[in-house]
Amino acid sequence: MRWKNYSVQRNENRIGQLMRAQDVSNIDIANFLPHREPMLMVTSVLEIDDASVSTQFHITEDCVFLDNGKLSETGLIENAAQAASGVVGQTFFEKDDLEGTGNKLVGYISAIKKVEIFQLPKVGETIVTKAKLLSRFDTGEMTMCSLEAETFLDEKLIVSSTMNFLIHEV
């Protein structure tokens, strides 16, 4: 078992290296998240490295988390969780798995430590969620981690959160 504080120590990983080497638009994020439509709350990855990620989500009329034409609080939390989980989830894939075929991950929010929601975005708007890894504990079979996420609408902060996750292969 090993403990890593990612504000101090960083490891290179496969998807982070891939995204620095290629155009990010070539990566289908659905291949690397266990979620599928209509629960997929990330449209694309803008940037990713070993300790942080930046994602986009375009809110469409068929989104299951809409309430009166706006993305609900639940939808904003799910978006932040999916974006944040990509930081740790990417380390479970092999270097040559460019299509995400080794996707056998299950992740759970084990604790929502903090959520502040300042505004609900509307259908047709695009939000950007940025997450960073605060801490990580690997047991060999499972990873427990804490991540901080902020969601922006037109560069205005609309959500701030801190969550704990359990991620493991099945």
Side-chain angles (χ1 to χ4, degrees):
M1 292 188 287
R2 61 188 195 266
W3 173 260
K4 296 178 182 175
N5 183 331
Y6 277 82
S7 62
V8 176
Q9 178 183 357
R10 293 184 171 195
N11 290 332
E12 287 295 313
N13 58 62
R14 189 205 57 80
I15 295 175
Q17 291 171 346
L18 173 67
M19 291 200 170
R20 283 190 295 274
Q22 292 187 19
D23 178 7
V24 178
S25 64
N26 291 335
I27 303 297
D28 182 358
I29 190 62
N31 292 338
F32 296 97
L33 289 174
H35 305 83
R36 295 293 172 255
E37 295 293 346
M39 292 295 294
L40 187 60
M41 301 297 292
V42 174
T43 306
S44 62
V45 174
L46 302 173
E47 295 178 54
I48 192 166
D49 63 31
D50 54 327
S52 64
V53 66
S54 179
T55 66
Q56 245 182 358
F57 178 61
H58 182 72
I59 304 160
T60 59
E61 290 181 358
D62 60 347
C63 178
V64 297
F65 292 111
L66 289 184
D67 185 18
N68 293 319
K70 294 182 178 181
L71 186 60
S72 69
E73 292 86 348
T74 305
L76 286 167
I77 293 168
E78 183 61 28
N79 166 262
Q82 287 184 27
S85 66
V87 174
V88 172
Q90 67 183 323
T91 62
F92 285 84
F93 291 90
E94 296 297 324
K95 184 175 183 175
D96 60 348
D97 186 5
L98 303 180
E99 299 299 320
T101 56
N103 187 347
K104 295 177 181 136
L105 295 180
V106 175
Y108 312 93
I109 300 172
S110 61
I112 297 176
K113 298 168 88 172
K114 174 190 95 166
V115 174
E116 294 177 287
I117 298 174
F118 308 107
Q119 181 181 340
L120 300 177
K122 298 180 235 168
V123 169
E125 294 182 320
T126 300
I127 55 176
V128 173
T129 301
K130 299 177 181 183
K132 70 177 181 177
L133 187 59
L134 300 175
S135 63
R136 177 177 178 164
F137 180 74
D138 293 308
T139 68
E141 297 176 7
M142 173 179 15
T143 296
M144 295 173 275
C145 56
S146 182
L147 293 113
E148 179 179 80
E150 294 182 324
T151 302
F152 298 87
L153 176 64
D154 297 326
E155 299 183 25
K156 178 182 177 190
L157 179 66
I158 62 168
V159 180
S160 177
S161 61
T162 305
M163 294 181 249
N164 291 348
F165 297 89
L166 295 174
I167 299 174
H168 65 90
E169 290 184 276
V170 291

